[in-house]
Amino acid sequence: MASKVTRRKFINSAAATGAAVAGARIGLSAQTQRPNVLFILADDLGYGDLSCYGRPDYQTPVLDGLARQGVKFTSAYAAAPVCTPTRCAVATGRYPQRLEVGLLEPLTPRDRDKGLPPEHPTVASLLHANGYDTGLIGKWHLGWRPEFGPNRHGYDEFFGILSGAGDYFTHWSSDAGGADLWENLEPVERLGYLTDLLSERAIAFITRRRTNPFFLSLHYTAPHSPWEGPEDQAIGHTTHGDGPMVDGGSLKIYATMVKSMDAGIGRVLQALSRARLERSTLVVFTSDNGGERYSFNWPFSFQKMYLWEGGIRVPAIARWPGTIPSNRISDQPVITMDWTATILAVTGTPPDAAYPLDGEDVMPVCKGTRPLYDRTLFWRTRTRAAARAGKWKYLDDSGEEGLFDLSIDPGEKNDLRASHRDVFDRIRAEYSAWNARMLPRRPSP
């Protein structure tokens, strides 16, 4: 007797067939069609916080090794200088200013009625419809209500926190007003250091028997505050302060947090290797915004929340053995939404035509088959604005405007607005035209 074909199986089979056709159209070979994808997002990791990007006081051997095995980007950007808008850009592949939730800097307890709209397509929902097993492990921060959560946005499973920050041992969040650890739609209790819990859950996801390719978003909360290393269980866990829980910390504790994440990623990558999935898995690592109090952002200025380079320039690494050559360094400007577009492209997953992407496929850059090219990228917060056009950076820092040549002045110290007024006016006009297409700014609270 023929086995019963369920509606879901039929849809997934049809999607897989369509994906194969789409893959052929974009030039994917039989060996590289429908790869697995592991997207790793650190939280508040500054540009120079990995030793391969210059951190002088500790080592990150796993991520240094990942960079040697693939391509390291030196002009990678977050879509925003704070987490919620960037996570919106990851999910949608679009500028965060296109959605109300993307205007929140960040989502706070005042915004219980706001979140990522359930009807908006996401990278996970598109991949899920294309026959992928999908999971989000880690931080969400795009809405607390079930209709705003990961399970309504294409993720088969979710394990992590919904808030912007949580204690690494008690998993208590000031935003949630209590414990904030979830398994799908249910609150759960788990013993352990949160970074380790997320790593172990990712290993279980990767090594599970399955017939479909997988897409795993592994969104660490490290090294976001509260600043607690894996050996800090005995310290007080109720004095972090309100909101982002930013009381305390030290350079030593920060180092242990980053090294713990690095080691956890190492265990996840070892699981890929043991499962013989290395060559069939695209791995991308990056951060949601520039660094915070204990970050090393040299040679850039300022930090998280600002649109100077220190607030938006981030590390980014991509590895896909056999497809991306090893030991490559690229100064090609890329931005958060590009990873979404790239993931859809390499999996043969068409975007939703009603929600066109703002990112672009950068796999040719990763492979070295496309030379460096100029791009124009935009940023906006409640009080600041910025645009990068080629080597030029336009900046409006709360009404103080300037123009900088990033090719010789990455620290944005020498304002060239007066001597290059034509360039300043041109980029400022391009920013204004882009801004007119976005949602209007939210008023400051």
Side-chain angles (χ1 to χ4, degrees):
M1 178 183 291
S3 61
K4 183 178 179 181
V5 179
T6 66
R7 181 175 182 271
R8 180 172 179 176
K9 287 181 179 177
F10 175 80
I11 291 172
N12 285 348
S13 175
T17 301
V21 174
R25 281 201 304 265
I26 63 175
L28 296 176
S29 69
Q31 288 86 0
T32 58
Q33 282 188 25
R34 297 172 63 75
N36 304 304
V37 178
L38 171 59
F39 179 78
I40 307 173
L41 189 68
D43 197 354
D44 285 8
L45 186 78
Y47 177 84
D49 281 340
L50 304 180
S51 45
C52 61
Y53 278 87
R55 186 81 194 200
D57 54 333
Y58 59 78
Q59 297 294 308
T60 50
V62 171
L63 288 165
D64 292 0
L66 191 73
R68 289 192 299 270
Q69 295 159 11
V71 57
K72 180 180 81 170
F73 285 87
T74 54
S75 289
Y77 290 94
V82 65
C83 47
T84 296
T86 293
R87 291 165 196 276
C88 179
V90 169
T92 65
R94 310 174 81 211
Y95 277 110
Q97 291 81 10
R98 294 190 183 278
L99 288 89
E100 185 180 17
V101 68
L103 304 181
L104 303 175
E105 300 171 5
L107 187 78
T108 70
R110 298 188 301 270
D111 307 308
R112 294 284 175 181
D113 60 336
K114 296 179 177 62
L116 188 60
E119 69 276 7
H120 198 293
T122 67
V123 60
S125 67
L126 294 168
L127 285 165
H128 177 82
N130 196 10
Y132 272 70
D133 295 340
T134 57
L136 176 70
I137 296 172
K139 175 175 166 178
W140 177 241
H141 210 189
L142 287 171
W144 281 281
R145 291 183 180 177
E147 63 266 30
F148 300 141
N151 296 100
R152 285 293 297 274
H153 287 289
Y155 288 102
D156 297 316
E157 54 190 271
F158 166 59
F159 176 78
I161 71 171
L162 296 173
S163 301
D167 186 278
Y168 283 81
F169 294 97
T170 67
H171 314 138
W172 182 91
S173 167
S174 60
D175 281 354
D180 186 35
L181 188 62
W182 296 80
E183 183 155 12
N184 296 317
L185 300 177
E186 299 296 327
V188 294
E189 294 184 12
R190 297 288 186 271
L191 294 176
Y193 185 65
L194 186 56
T195 301
D196 293 337
L197 293 178
L198 300 180
S199 299
E200 295 308 313
R201 191 57 172 258
I203 292 168
F205 181 93
I206 286 169
T207 55
R208 188 179 308 153
R209 283 185 170 272
R210 55 168 47 87
T211 57
N212 298 325
F214 68 77
F215 168 61
L216 175 59
S217 275
L218 176 53
H219 295 185
Y220 283 101
T221 60
H224 194 292
S225 60
W227 290 293
E228 300 170 323
E231 306 302 320
D232 294 329
Q233 187 168 5
I235 70 172
H237 297 284
T238 59
T239 58
H240 303 307
D242 295 331
M245 307 170 74
V246 294
D247 288 354
S250 68
L251 284 170
K252 181 179 179 181
I253 289 174
Y254 188 82
T256 64
M257 295 175 73
V258 177
K259 290 191 292 184
S260 174
M261 179 180 66
D262 185 71
I265 292 171
R267 295 193 295 274
V268 173
L269 296 179
Q270 287 170 6
L272 269 180
S273 179
R274 289 195 304 271
R276 298 183 179 180
L277 296 174
E278 277 185 313
R279 294 184 69 83
S280 60
T281 303
L282 167 64
V283 179
V284 175
F285 173 87
T286 190
S287 179
D288 64 343
N289 47 250
E292 250 264 46
R293 181 181 301 170
Y294 300 109
S295 286
F296 181 72
N297 286 328
W298 179 261
F300 307 120
S301 298
F302 290 84
Q303 61 177 31
K304 175 183 177 180
M305 302 302 297
Y306 294 87
L307 292 180
W308 301 80
E309 293 290 287
I312 53 177
R313 187 92 68 113
V314 292
I317 300 166
R319 186 194 78 176
W320 187 0
T323 300
I324 297 175
S326 60
N327 285 304
R328 293 199 65 247
I329 298 175
S330 176
D331 197 40
Q332 174 62 49
V334 297
I335 194 168
T336 300
M337 300 83 75
D338 294 337
W339 300 120
T340 309
T342 301
I343 290 166
L344 294 177
V346 302
T347 58
T349 304
D352 190 319
Y355 300 86
L357 302 177
D358 290 314
E360 59 187 55
D361 176 14
V362 295
M363 186 52 63
V365 174
C366 294
K367 291 196 258 187
T369 58
R370 182 176 185 180
L372 300 185
Y373 59 99
D374 286 347
R375 299 184 66 184
T376 302
L377 306 172
F378 303 100
W379 296 266
R380 193 191 73 192
T381 69
R382 284 193 181 100
T383 60
R384 298 178 173 94
R388 174 167 176 172
K391 68 178 183 177
W392 297 103
K393 170 88 173 281
Y394 161 74
L395 181 65
D396 178 354
D397 188 45
S398 302
E400 294 292 327
E401 294 180 298
L403 178 72
F404 305 95
D405 181 351
L406 296 179
S407 68
I408 58 173
D409 180 25
E412 298 164 287
K413 305 298 185 185
N414 183 24
D415 182 2
L416 300 175
R417 174 177 48 170
S419 59
H420 292 77
R421 187 72 198 195
D422 57 333
V423 177
F424 175 84
D425 290 341
R426 172 175 58 82
I427 302 176
R428 189 186 192 205
E430 290 175 349
Y431 168 81
S432 296
W434 170 83
N435 186 46
R437 299 193 298 272
M438 301 297 115
L439 294 178
R441 281 185 165 115
R442 283 168 56 89
S444 297

